[in-house]
Each structure stands twice: as structure tokens, then as C-alpha cells.
Amino acid sequence: MTVLLEKRLDKPKAVQIGVSHANSEADAVREAIADFNTDAICFVLFFMPDHLDPEKVSNEFARQMSSATVFGCSTAGQITAQGYEKHALLVMAFPRRHFRCSSALIKPLKPLSIERTANRARVLAERFPRTGNWRTVALVIADGMSKQEDLLVAALNAGLGEIPVFGGSAGNGLAFGETYVSHGGHAHRNAALVLLIETDLSFRGIGFNHFQPTSRQMVVTRAVPEERLVLDINGVPAAREYARYVNCPVEQLSPQVFAENPVLIRSGQSWHVRAIQQVEEGGGLWFLSAIDDGLVLTLGQGREILQTLDSGLDHFREHNQKPDFIIGFDCYLRRLEIEQKNLTADVSAILRENHVFGFNTYGEQHLGVHVNQTFIGVAFFPPSDGALY
């Protein structure tokens, strides 16, 4: 399937979108917010590229939008009105007409107390007054190098009760360096941003990947769970054994190989990806999700990624109506596979057609579970009164 990449003419009705490709933090923020109706804004959410400094960007938002509440994070890529991008500052402004927001900064993430975090989430929800028939959703964006997302989302899910939780882990391009979340005009490491968003818009959660299990299984026989490091698989150095399973020389293992040959774990009737980040110097494998001794890993096999993306997003239409916009959290490993197969233009066209805005993550949060190599999102449907901002 070949689709020409062209600018989308229609815009979301319920949010304002700004984008800049400027190289300086001050210029990028100024360009991205130039057309915003600042008097109408409840809060702002931004996703930034790795060539900009997170602290300087946060400071610029505080300086240039001093009356607004601004949140954001560093990323491994952005999803704008043009689809996939790598050098864009994407800004979403949520108007008071349709949104209310309360926030918490969880810092430090490591060490993390599940009980304390769950209690804090419970208090945050209890102190957030309800408005009529409006509904609430929680978004969580965590430091993608903290290795705490599994515990974090489990604690938030317990504390927030019936409020659904979605989100992604902040990135740093493909460098796997420091990742940041922005809160209160500053960029924070070893931290997570929790947003409770109340809206009069109808919304639905989204979560899907394009893998199915094969019959090939392996067992983690030695691991360092707190570091997400697997040392041995089937009693053999992990990288060497995994390379044997995927028929690849161990010295040629790369993010691209990991993207196309993930391992899955079974949870009830569902399969979740446990993505491999990189090879450890001693021959182990660093993972992006929780790992432990005795865990059974099943080699995954990919399905057609364009078809699963198109059908996955189309499935979440409501009453034959497309979403007004989707906040999307899309794993960087999915993007790597898409780029390797020269499908970027086609995927960007699908994302654009479905009004997806968001970023490429180091991991995704879906209803109390931290997953990898998955598209997670929240689809918001057009205002019933058709009102702009």
C-alpha cells in the first residue's frame, strides 16, 4: 500500500495544536504557541525532540506562557499532524470549555513505595471535584530510564480505582540517555507525571500490538530483576541464546533485530511484549519491562504492521464517527521496524487520517500494566455542540 504524504487540512475541534522545528528553545516555544488562544487554555501538554534542552524548554514555557499550566516530556520521536517526526516540538493546548485537570509529580521514582504511591493517587482523585456528567481519565508519563514503570502503574491503578490509566515512558531519541518529564516550569529526572483529566467529551482507550506467539519458548534462568537484566536463558548466556533462537550472529544483535523478534509473556488470555533494549557487556540482555528468574518467554512473530495499525485505530470509531483526536503513545521499537521496512510514509498517513498526536516511547502504560512494542492511546470524540475551543 502506497499513500502520498500530504498536509491534513482538517483540524481537531476540541484542542489546539502547535508545532515548531526551530533549533533554539526560545524560538521553538514561541513558534509552537503563536496561534494559541491562551485565554481559553486549561492546560498544555508538549512532546519535545532530543536536540532541545528539556530544562530550557520547560523554562521557556514558564516564561512565555506564565498564566498556563504546562506539562511535557522528552521523547524518542513525535507524532504530529504530518505523522512521524524526529525534530518537532509538538504542543497540545486543552481548553477549559472541554477539560479540567489536576496533577502530581511522583519524585523520586526509585526507590518507589507502592503503598505510598497508591495512597497519593487516591488522595489526588478524592480532592479532584467531579463535574456533572463529565468523565475522568489518567495519563502517566514516567522517566523512561527509571526502570520503575511496572511498579508505578500497578500502584496508580490500585489508588485510582475505576479511573482508567494510560501513558508512556519518556525517551531520549535512540541514545538511552537521560529522560525527563516537565512539571512546574522545570524538567525532572527519576520522576513521573500523573495527570487526572476530566472532560465532557466521549473517550475510549486504545491498546494493541502486531505480534502473535510462536511455539518457541525459552526460560530466564538467571536475572537481576531490579535492573531488568537477564544474564542467562536456558542456562546459556542470554544474548547468545536469544541470537540462536532468531538465527542471528550475536555480534549483529541490534535494536532493529529486537524490534522484529520480540519475546512475549502470557498474562491470563493476553500476550504482552517484553522488549529487549540492548546487549549487556557481559553477554546479558537489558529489557524495558519487568523480568525475573523462571519467567517463560515466548518468541513472537509479527503480523502485517500497516493492517494492524489501520484496523486497530478504525476499531475505536464510535457510532461510525472518527475521533476528534487521539493522544498516542507508540513504542520506538515499532517505529524502528516501520522505518526498516520503508513504511514511514504509509504509517504517517494512517496516523494523520486518524488525528493521532503524541510521541514515541521507551514503554507504554495500559490499564495498570507496563508493556512494550505496543500502541496505546486515548481517543476523544468531537464535542456534541461542535464548539471550537
Side-chain angles (χ1 to χ4, degrees):
M1 179 173 73
T2 301
V3 181
L4 292 177
L5 186 63
E6 58 184 23
K7 290 187 178 181
R8 200 182 79 218
L9 298 179
D10 59 323
K11 297 180 179 180
K13 292 182 174 62
V15 293
Q16 295 173 278
I17 303 294
V19 175
S20 174
H21 299 90
N23 290 322
S24 82
E25 290 78 11
D27 289 344
V29 172
R30 181 168 53 253
E31 290 179 7
I33 68 174
D35 296 330
F36 284 2
N37 178 5
T38 55
D39 292 337
I41 293 174
C42 172
F43 71 97
V44 168
L45 190 57
F46 73 82
F47 306 118
M48 58 166 286
D50 57 0
H51 74 270
L52 297 178
D53 181 276
E55 180 66 12
K56 289 181 180 178
V57 170
S58 300
N59 293 166
E60 284 298 329
F61 272 108
R63 185 178 70 84
Q64 297 187 37
M65 299 189 75
S66 58
S67 62
T69 302
V70 181
F71 312 104
C73 70
S74 59
T75 74
Q78 308 80 49
I79 306 173
T80 74
Q82 298 308 306
Y84 278 157
E85 295 205 51
K86 292 183 178 178
H87 307 292
L89 174 65
L90 169 66
V91 187
M92 305 179 70
F94 295 75
R96 286 191 296 271
R97 183 184 186 95
H98 298 296
F99 297 94
R100 293 177 60 253
C101 180
S102 182
S103 71
L105 182 70
I106 308 295
K107 184 178 181 179
L109 270 186
K110 191 174 185 179
L112 182 97
S113 165
I114 293 180
E115 182 179 1
R116 187 160 53 246
T117 302
N119 287 337
R120 186 170 179 187
R122 187 176 301 111
V123 170
L124 181 68
E126 290 172 350
R127 293 180 178 176
F128 190 36
R130 302 298 174 88
T131 305
N133 294 321
W134 290 30
R135 296 170 58 208
T136 305
V137 61
L139 298 185
V140 55
I141 303 174
D143 179 340
M145 297 301 290
S146 67
K147 303 179 182 179
Q148 297 296 294
E149 300 102 307
D150 306 273
L151 296 176
L152 173 67
V153 294
L156 293 176
N157 195 58
L160 294 175
E162 296 182 356
I163 298 175
V165 180
F166 303 91
S169 301
N172 173 228
L174 296 183
F176 296 103
E178 297 176 345
T179 68
Y180 295 86
V181 297
S182 179
H183 183 277
H186 295 282
H188 304 268
R189 291 181 56 211
N190 192 24
L193 175 66
V194 181
L195 302 180
L196 294 188
I197 300 174
E198 189 183 54
T199 180
D200 65 341
L201 303 183
S202 174
F203 65 81
R204 295 183 66 186
I206 299 173
F208 59 84
N209 62 54
H210 63 291
F211 296 105
Q212 57 190 11
T214 68
S215 60
R216 307 197 68 190
Q217 294 186 327
M218 56 194 95
V219 179
V220 176
T221 49
R222 188 160 64 103
V224 185
E226 62 273 17
E227 296 298 329
R228 295 179 178 168
L229 175 62
V230 172
L231 298 172
D232 292 345
I233 292 174
N234 298 338
V236 177
R240 192 174 81 197
E241 184 70 345
Y242 170 82
R244 183 178 71 84
Y245 268 69
V246 300
N247 194 28
C248 173
V250 68
E251 62 273 11
Q252 293 182 19
L253 291 178
S254 67
Q256 288 76 16
V257 173
F258 301 144
E260 291 201 20
N261 300 275
V263 293
L264 315 178
I265 64 165
R266 186 165 187 169
S267 177
Q269 298 301 311
S270 301
W271 291 90
H272 300 302
V273 180
R274 283 290 184 264
I276 301 169
Q277 176 186 333
Q278 59 192 27
V279 177
E280 183 254 352
E281 288 183 0
L285 293 171
W286 296 104
F287 278 70
L288 287 165
S289 291
I291 211 77
D292 206 347
D293 291 318
L295 191 64
V296 177
L297 306 176
T298 300
L299 195 64
Q301 181 177 47
R303 295 173 290 170
E304 212 287 323
I305 197 166
L306 283 182
Q307 182 180 351
T308 54
L309 175 63
D310 197 24
S311 61
L313 293 175
D314 186 68
H315 177 70
F316 287 89
R317 294 189 185 192
E318 188 171 89
H319 309 302
N320 295 318
Q321 183 181 44
K322 284 189 176 182
D324 183 56
F325 70 97
I326 296 172
I327 301 178
F329 308 95
D330 194 18
C331 185
Y332 82 97
L333 285 168
R334 286 171 49 85
R335 179 167 181 158
L336 281 182
E337 179 180 346
I338 287 162
E339 291 175 345
Q340 188 168 327
K341 293 180 176 178
N342 296 316
L343 296 174
T344 302
D346 296 322
V347 168
S348 290
I350 294 172
L351 296 171
R352 186 173 65 254
E353 172 67 19
N354 287 278
H355 299 194
V356 179
F357 300 91
F359 72 99
N360 295 114
T361 72
Y362 280 179
E364 303 76 56
Q365 340 300 352
H366 185 221
L367 299 175
V369 180
H370 176 61
V371 296
N372 301 127
Q373 239 163 316
T374 301
F375 182 98
I376 299 298
V378 182
F380 294 86
F381 293 86
S384 57
D385 57 7
L388 288 168
Y389 315 132

